[in-house]
Amino acid sequence: MDTVTAGQPVLVIDAMKLLQTLTAPCAGVIVQINYAAGESVDMDAVLITIDPEE
């Protein structure tokens, strides 16, 4: 999967026609993406999983 740095944009969510950019909280590797583009997302859902660098 992809390597990310802390603060790097990783997702953009369209919520009520307002785009929200979510950033990586830490450096690491994206190991899982739980939703595809266009899917509805439940509140408090885990969108991606990042394995942090050690």
Side-chain angles (χ1 to χ4, degrees):
M1 286 282 185
D2 292 330
T3 300
V4 295
T5 58
Q8 178 180 343
V10 292
L11 295 169
V12 176
I13 296 178
D14 181 351
M16 303 289 292
K17 297 185 180 182
L18 179 64
L19 297 179
Q20 300 287 325
T21 301
L22 303 179
T23 58
C26 61
V29 176
I30 296 174
V31 293
Q32 186 172 7
I33 301 172
N34 296 321
Y35 290 88
E39 283 188 294
S40 293
V41 175
D42 296 326
M43 187 173 201
D44 296 325
V46 175
L47 304 176
I48 66 170
T49 303
I50 298 173
D51 186 17
E53 284 184 347
E54 294 185 22

